Amino acid sequence: LRSVADGANGVFGSSSGLYPNQTYHSTDYFVDAQVVPNGTPAPPGIVSSVPTNGATAVGLRNAVTAAFSRPMDPTTLNTTSFTLTDGLGSTVPATVAYNNATNSAVLTPSTPLAYDTSYTARVAASARASDGMQMSAPASWSFRTAAVQAPLAVASSTPAPGAAGVQTDDAVQIAFNRDVDPVTLTSSTVQLIGPGGAFVASTISYNSATSTATVRPSTGLATNTSYTVRLTTGILASSDGTPISAATSWFFTTGFCPCSLFGSLTPASMGLATQDGRSGAGPWSYEMGVKLTVTQPSQLVAIRFYKSAGEIGTHVGTLWSAAGARISSVSFANETASGWQTALLPSPAQLQSGTTYVISVGLNAYFVTTKSGLATQVTGGIVQTVADGRNGVYGSAAGVFPTSSYSSSNYFVDVVVR
């Protein structure tokens, strides 16, 4: 780009809007042009922003984003070239970062914005594209934050404050009165505390549709133990930045469930053949189980059995009525070679207090037992065996309702009850 040195440059006309063809002493009147070679990209510009220009009810913790028409030089986008000011012209302390993948600069305020306040974002013309081309002009846009809202608070919780008999594998659910900023749900703002003030390691998830946080302990809680849920102030806030109204806490006490009869108990005798002295060609199998009852209405959620080494084939666990009616059944999958195996029922079965039930599993080659292991009642929380002198039941083949008994033997068929 060059001026024309013809002795008659620096031109003027007698009034605004007229073609200028007069000159005086080659005087420079400081009118200039900006040109680029043919095929050179246009100067970079802002194609979109968040919040948009004129937006209202913007959250107090919102970042401000400017998306550019082409890749930018990140060194030219900083707290000097990209700023946010309030209605009084005061600059909001913030950090600025550039995202190469989206050609976007993100301004993150260091503290929440003020309620019901107008803000203006500005990007200076000094911002340059990655090829060094400067913006043709500065850009700016304005938005207004949300009006004052009700403080964030807990609307309800499960378990409820003071609840007793809580299942040891239950998660804690906290429903809020407003949508929560999930970034503020952390192990320092939502805490589960056990005996002696020990923090219980947990994972926290959030459902924005129901404004509910779920705190799931990494391991099962202890039985018959008091736990405290604590929400702290300072960081925990709603999606528009409104903080929780006050530190909040409540407690609940666990019960003894999920309940099983035999826990990690192991049999006295293993590797016993299902032929068991019977003559003939076979194949031989047994249906082996236990009679049990519960002390309060509950749900049977799974069936367990202790698998002997060498046992083969498919195994089906069955819940029977005392009269032999099949109530529910489930096939075991992903079994190990031996030891305790567990299968969840397709849907929990309802158990009534004081009613006798039979739980059994079909065994194909080998079984386990502890002779006279059920001579006295075995209790696991709300579930217990029936000590009638004829517990520890078996049937002559897998799938048959088991009614026979021998010396109150325990065949290590068990349940998981909630």
Side-chain angles (χ1 to χ4, degrees), residues 34-36 40-45 70-76 98 124-136:
Q34 187 177 45
V35 300
V36 296
T40 300
R70 55 195 187 94
M72 300 294 288
D73 177 356
T75 64
T76 67
Y98 182 71
S126 58
R128 295 179 179 272
S130 57
D131 61 7
M133 182 173 288
Q134 186 173 299
M135 290 178 62
S136 59

Side-chain angles (χ1 to χ4, degrees), residues 7-412:
N9 206 346
V11 291
F12 64 91
S14 59
S15 63
S16 176
L18 292 182
Y19 176 61
N21 56 11
Q22 302 178 63
T23 185
Y24 174 73
H25 261 288
S26 297
T27 301
D28 185 357
Y29 298 116
F30 289 86
V31 177
D32 203 353
Q34 187 177 45
V35 300
V36 296
N38 288 341
T40 300
I46 295 176
V47 294
S48 64
S49 66
V50 178
T52 57
N53 187 40
T56 58
V58 173
L60 306 188
R61 293 180 182 270
N62 277 37
V64 180
T65 302
F68 294 88
S69 57
R70 55 195 187 94
M72 300 294 288
D73 177 356
T75 64
T76 67
L77 289 164
N78 47 50
T79 54
T80 300
S81 60
F82 189 8
T83 60
L84 183 67
T85 56
D86 61 21
L88 299 177
S90 299
T91 300
V92 175
T95 58
V96 174
Y98 182 71
N99 187 328
N100 284 296
T102 59
N103 298 338
S104 298
V106 180
L107 181 150
T108 304
S110 302
T111 57
L113 301 180
Y115 287 109
D116 199 20
T117 300
S118 291
Y119 289 89
T120 298
R122 293 181 175 86
V123 177
S126 58
R128 295 179 179 272
S130 57
D131 61 7
M133 182 173 288
Q134 186 173 299
M135 290 178 62
S136 59
S140 65
W141 65 100
S142 299
F143 59 87
R144 194 172 190 86
T145 52
V148 177
Q149 300 289 319
L152 181 67
V154 174
S156 64
S157 65
T158 304
V166 175
Q167 307 284 345
T168 59
D169 61 350
D170 277 354
V172 177
Q173 294 190 318
I174 307 167
F176 293 91
N177 64 330
R178 304 179 54 201
D179 188 31
V180 177
D181 179 355
V183 174
T184 68
L185 292 167
T186 69
S187 57
S188 64
T189 61
V190 182
Q191 301 168 344
L192 183 59
I193 302 170
F199 291 96
V200 178
S202 306
T203 58
I204 304 172
S205 58
Y206 181 66
N207 184 335
S208 59
T210 59
S211 301
T212 300
T214 299
V215 182
R216 190 171 298 280
S218 301
T219 58
L221 301 179
T223 60
N224 197 31
T225 301
S226 181
Y227 289 87
T228 298
V229 181
R230 179 186 298 161
L231 308 184
T232 64
T233 58
I235 299 176
L236 184 57
S238 64
S239 56
D240 66 5
T242 306
I244 191 166
S245 55
T248 305
S249 65
W250 64 94
F251 75 93
F252 63 87
T253 304
T254 57
F256 292 93
C257 290
C259 303
S260 294
L261 291 167
F262 307 125
S264 58
L265 191 67
T266 57
S269 301
M270 305 188 197
L272 304 175
T274 54
Q275 183 173 357
D276 200 22
R278 292 180 284 183
S279 61
W284 303 103
S285 63
Y286 272 135
E287 184 79 13
M288 292 182 146
V290 62
K291 291 185 281 189
L292 56 83
T293 186
V294 292
T295 58
Q296 66 184 54
S298 53
Q299 293 182 327
L300 174 65
V301 295
I303 296 177
R304 309 169 68 222
F305 81 101
Y306 195 97
K307 182 180 179 180
S308 174
E311 169 60 357
I312 58 174
T314 301
H315 300 100
V316 176
T318 304
L319 167 65
W320 312 82
S321 71
R326 192 185 304 268
I327 299 173
S328 183
S329 62
V330 61
S331 295
F332 287 77
N334 303 316
E335 294 183 18
T336 58
S338 63
W340 281 107
Q341 315 295 317
T342 302
L344 295 173
L345 267 64
S347 58
Q350 302 298 320
L351 303 182
Q352 300 302 317
S353 174
T355 301
T356 297
Y357 299 91
V358 175
I359 305 295
S360 65
V361 174
L363 301 171
N364 307 305
Y366 296 97
F367 67 96
V368 301
T369 186
T370 294
K371 185 179 178 181
S372 303
L374 300 178
T376 57
Q377 189 173 68
V378 177
T379 299
I382 61 174
V383 62
Q384 53 192 213
T385 62
V386 177
D388 60 358
R390 291 184 52 80
N391 206 345
V393 289
Y394 65 91
S396 58
V400 172
F401 176 59
T403 56
S404 301
S405 182
Y406 172 72
S407 191
S408 298
S409 295
N410 183 0
Y411 300 116
F412 287 81

